[in-house]
Amino acid sequence: MSSQPLVEIRDVNFTYDTRAVLKGINMTFHKGKVIAIMGGSGCGKTTLFRLIGGALKPTKGEIKIDGQVMHELDQKGLYAMRRKMGVLFQFGALFTDMSVYDNVAFQMREHTDLPEEMIHDLVMMKLNAVGLRGTHALMPAELSGGMARRVALARTVALDPMLILYDEPFAGLDPISLTAVGSSIRSLNNALGATSVVVTHDVQESLKIVDYIYFIADGVIVAEGTPEEILASDKPFVHQFVHGEMDGPVPFQYPSRDYKLDLGVNT
Amino acid sequence: MGALMPLVRSVRNIGHHLVEAVWRLGYATRFFALILLNSGLSFRRFHLIIRELFFSGVMSLIIILVAGLFVGVVLGLQGYETLKSYGSESSLGQLVALSLVRELGPVLAALLFASRAGSAMTAEIGLMKATEQVAAMEMMAVNPIARVVAPRFWAGVISMPLLAAMFSVMGVFGGYLVGVVFIGVDEGSFWSQMQFSVDFQHDILNGVLKSFVFGVAITVIALFEGYDAPATAEGVSGATTRTVVQSSVVILLLDVVLTAIMFRGI
C-alpha cells in the first residue's frame, strides 16, 4: 500500500459511559483502495464507522481525512468534508417519500446549481452504473432489498465522493444481489478513483473485492493484511472467523457460572 | 429506616420524573429555537412548505369541514332550545357565530389537527429516524432540521388558522341549516344579529391568534416527539400517542390562558 494515505486513524480510543469500545486503533487507508473492517457483532466496527464519518468524537486519538482532523471541525467544516464523502447505510436508508430518481438527484439538487437537464443525465448515468436505470420512476417500497441497496449505492456516489463508507453492504442479500453489490463497490471505486471502506462480517464476498483487511475484536486490531495473507493466516481468531467455526477464541458459550450450579445438580 | 424505604423510593421516583420532564422541556425549547434558526431554507425554497401544506393542511380538510358542520348543527339545535325559553330565538346567529369564532373553532380544529396531522408528523419523522433516513441526510451534509423539520413546522403554523377559520365557517353554515332552514328562525335576524355582534378585531382576530398559537404548540410537540423517538416500533408508537395526549392538554391549557387574557369580562 504505497500510494498516498487519505484516511489516517491514530491511537483512537472510544468509551461509551465507562465501557471501552475501541482501544488504541491505528489504521491507514490509501487512495484508490477498497478496505474492509471486519469483526464479530459488537466488536466496535460500527463505532469506528461512525467515528470516521464524524458522527462521534474519539475519547482519545484522532482521525485525519484528507489532512483534516475530523473532531476539530465545526459544523460547517464537517458538512464541507461530508460533501466529499459518500455513506451507504446498512439497509440503504432511501428516502421513502421520494422516487428512485429523486433519491439519486437529492444531493445534486441540495449542493449544486446544476440545471435539471444535466441532473437528469447524471442520475441516469449513476443508475445505469448499478444496472437500475429502468427503476427511476419507482418508489423505494416497490424495490427488492437488493435493488434498494443498489439504488442507495447510486445515491452514495451521486457527487463522485473521494471517500465512500459502506456499513454492512452485504447484510440480508440473496447471492445474486450480493455479487451485484460487491462488484458495483469495486467497479465504482475504480471508476471514481475513490477510497472505499467496507464495514462487514461477510468474509467470502469481501475477500473477492477488497485490497486490505483489518480484523477487530474487543476494540483492538487483532489481524490485518491482504486477502491472500488473511486466507493464509494461522492466527486462531482469523482462522475461526474466515472459516466460520462455531467455537474457538470467540467462545460459543456466553461467560456464565458453572453449568451444574444452574441445573441445581449437587456434586 | 426499613419502613420508610417505600416512601423514600416514591419521593425519589417523583424527583426523577420531574427532573426528566424539565430536561425534556429544555430539549424541546432548544429544538424550537433550532427550527426558527434553520427556517431560512424553507422560505428560500417555498415549495418545501407547499408540499407539507398539502399533507398537513389539505389532507385535514375533510375531517375539519365535516366536524365543523356537525358542531354547528348541534350548536344550532341546543342554542335554539335554550334561547326559545327566553323568547330570543332571533339571537341564534349571534350565539352560533361567537361560540365558534371565539372558542369552538380554534379549539376543536386544533384538537382534530393534533390527532390527524400532528400524529402523522410524529410517526413520519420517527420512522425516518428509525430507518436511518435522518442519519443519511446528516451524512450527505444536509441539515435535517432545515430540510425536514422546519418546512413541516411552518406548514402546520400556516394551515392551523386557515383550518380553524374553515371549521367556523362550516359551523355557521350548520347552525344556519338547522336554525333557519329546518326550524324556521327568521333568516334576516339570524344574519343581522351575527353581523351586529361579531367584532372583527375582538372576536375574529383573537380567534385567529388563538389558532396560530395552537398551531405552533402542536407542530413543535409533534416534531419534537418524532425527532426524539427511540428507533423502535414501540418508540414510534409511544411518541405518536404522546403527541396526541400532550397536544390536547396543551391546547386546552393555552385556551384557558388566552381566553383569560383576551376576554376578561369585556
Side-chain angles (χ1 to χ4, degrees):
Chain A
M1 294 178 92
S2 55
S3 60
Q4 212 180 340
L6 180 73
V7 181
E8 293 170 88
I9 300 172
R10 293 286 164 259
D11 192 27
V12 162
N13 288 257
F14 188 80
T15 309
Y16 269 121
D17 295 328
T18 53
R19 193 169 64 91
V21 182
L22 296 174
K23 298 170 244 179
I25 298 283
N26 285 289
M27 292 176 175
T28 305
F29 307 152
H30 292 266
K31 282 183 182 167
K33 303 291 180 189
V34 179
I35 296 104
I37 299 174
M38 288 191 186
S41 303
C43 71
K45 57 186 191 301
T46 301
T47 303
L48 183 60
F49 177 86
R50 297 185 69 195
L51 283 162
I52 297 170
L56 294 173
K57 287 184 178 174
T59 317
K60 194 184 144 208
E62 63 175 33
I63 293 170
K64 231 187 226 185
I65 299 178
D66 202 24
Q68 288 186 284
V69 179
M70 289 299 278
H71 71 261
E72 288 175 359
L73 297 172
D74 57 8
Q75 200 198 26
K76 207 175 158 193
L78 190 62
Y79 273 13
M81 179 60 78
R82 283 179 179 167
R83 283 182 202 187
K84 296 188 258 179
M85 293 164 66
V87 179
L88 181 74
F89 282 84
Q90 191 167 354
F91 295 104
L94 290 175
F95 302 128
T96 44
D97 58 340
M98 295 180 198
S99 67
V100 164
Y101 180 96
D102 289 332
N103 262 284
V104 181
F106 183 78
Q107 287 186 84
M108 300 176 195
R109 288 177 179 151
E110 292 294 323
H111 295 313
T112 71
D113 294 321
L114 293 173
E116 203 55 37
E117 301 83 55
M118 191 174 284
I119 288 178
H120 174 268
D121 292 351
L122 286 170
V123 170
M124 287 304 174
M125 284 158 72
K126 299 293 174 189
L127 284 172
N128 195 54
V130 294
L132 291 175
R133 191 164 31 86
T135 67
H136 69 93
L138 298 180
M139 294 301 282
E142 297 173 278
L143 303 173
S144 70
M147 285 158 82
R149 205 75 56 88
R150 280 151 70 194
V151 170
L153 185 53
R155 185 182 68 174
T156 303
V157 297
L159 292 183
D160 296 351
M162 64 175 183
L163 175 67
I164 313 171
L165 306 175
Y166 299 90
D167 185 13
E168 302 283 7
F170 309 118
L173 294 181
D174 63 78
I176 301 168
S177 302
L178 201 69
T179 311
V181 170
S183 64
S184 297
I185 289 174
R186 183 76 245 184
S187 59
L188 283 168
N189 192 74
N190 292 350
L192 297 171
T195 304
S196 295
V197 182
V198 186
V199 171
T200 180
H201 48 228
D202 191 307
V203 180
Q204 301 313 325
E205 195 56 40
S206 309
L207 288 175
K208 286 190 235 166
I209 61 159
V210 303
D211 299 301
Y212 203 78
I213 300 166
Y214 290 96
F215 271 98
I216 299 182
D218 291 327
V220 295
I221 297 170
V222 290
E224 62 180 281
T226 60
E228 296 73 31
E229 287 167 345
I230 290 297
L231 279 172
S233 172
D234 55 0
K235 287 185 179 172
F237 174 81
V238 177
H239 192 270
Q240 184 190 2
F241 202 93
V242 171
H243 295 91
E245 288 163 356
M246 190 167 108
D247 216 350
V250 180
F252 171 66
Q253 285 289 346
Y254 189 80
S256 53
R257 62 182 187 163
D258 188 13
Y259 194 25
K260 283 178 183 167
L261 282 172
D262 276 340
L263 294 178
V265 179
N266 295 320
T267 50
Chain B
M1 187 63 198
L4 283 175
M5 276 317 282
L7 186 69
V8 172
R9 261 201 297 274
S10 322
V11 172
R12 192 187 297 151
N13 275 343
I14 292 168
H16 176 73
H17 282 111
L18 204 67
V19 169
E20 201 176 279
V22 173
W23 269 108
R24 279 182 67 77
L25 191 64
Y27 282 136
T29 310
R30 187 170 164 268
F31 183 74
F32 181 36
L34 278 175
I35 293 175
L36 296 180
L37 282 173
N38 289 289
S39 290
L41 177 82
S42 304
F43 290 100
R44 279 198 305 279
R45 290 162 66 186
F46 202 71
H47 67 93
L48 294 174
I49 295 182
I50 301 270
R51 184 180 177 279
E52 298 309 325
L53 269 173
F54 175 77
F55 288 114
S56 60
V58 178
M59 299 297 276
S60 304
L61 257 181
I62 290 183
I63 190 171
I64 292 283
L65 294 181
V66 171
L69 182 71
F70 289 163
V71 167
V73 167
V74 170
L75 259 182
L77 284 170
Q78 293 283 9
Y80 178 78
E81 282 301 311
T82 310
L83 291 172
K84 195 172 68 177
S85 55
Y86 297 103
S88 46
E89 302 95 305
S90 56
S91 301
L92 186 65
Q94 178 186 357
L95 174 93
V96 169
L98 284 181
S99 312
L100 281 163
V101 170
R102 286 182 176 186
E103 284 300 327
L104 295 176
V107 172
L108 291 183
L111 290 173
L112 290 169
F113 184 75
S115 318
R116 161 64 185 76
S119 59
M121 277 184 205
T122 304
E124 190 185 13
I125 295 196
L127 278 172
M128 281 184 80
K129 255 192 86 181
T131 52
E132 294 187 308
Q133 293 178 50
V134 173
M137 208 171 269
E138 270 274 347
M139 292 307 297
M140 289 178 201
V142 176
N143 185 343
I145 302 267
R147 183 62 174 69
V148 176
V149 177
R152 283 167 173 76
F153 170 76
W154 288 108
V157 170
I158 293 167
S159 52
M160 187 66 260
L162 297 174
L163 290 171
M166 287 182 202
F167 185 99
S168 297
V169 169
M170 278 311 278
V172 168
F173 176 66
Y176 166 81
L177 214 59
V178 77
V180 177
V181 178
F182 292 110
I183 297 175
V185 173
D186 179 59
E187 188 171 0
S189 53
F190 181 88
W191 290 118
S192 63
Q193 286 278 350
M194 190 187 298
Q195 206 174 357
F196 176 74
S197 58
V198 178
D199 181 67
F200 179 73
Q201 193 173 349
H202 189 239
D203 300 314
I204 294 179
L205 276 190
N206 275 341
V208 169
L209 185 64
K210 265 188 184 182
S211 52
F212 173 79
V213 174
F214 296 158
V216 172
I218 296 166
T219 42
V220 169
I221 291 170
L223 295 167
F224 176 70
E225 286 295 344
Y227 210 76
D228 193 49
T232 59
E234 294 84 12
V236 176
S237 75
T240 312
T241 308
R242 277 199 301 281
T243 290
V244 177
V245 174
Q246 286 176 10
S247 299
S248 306
V249 174
V250 168
I251 290 162
L252 297 173
L253 186 76
L254 282 173
D255 188 46
V256 172
V257 176
L258 291 172
T259 306
I261 295 169
M262 291 169 176
F263 304 101
R264 41 188 171 186
I266 299 167

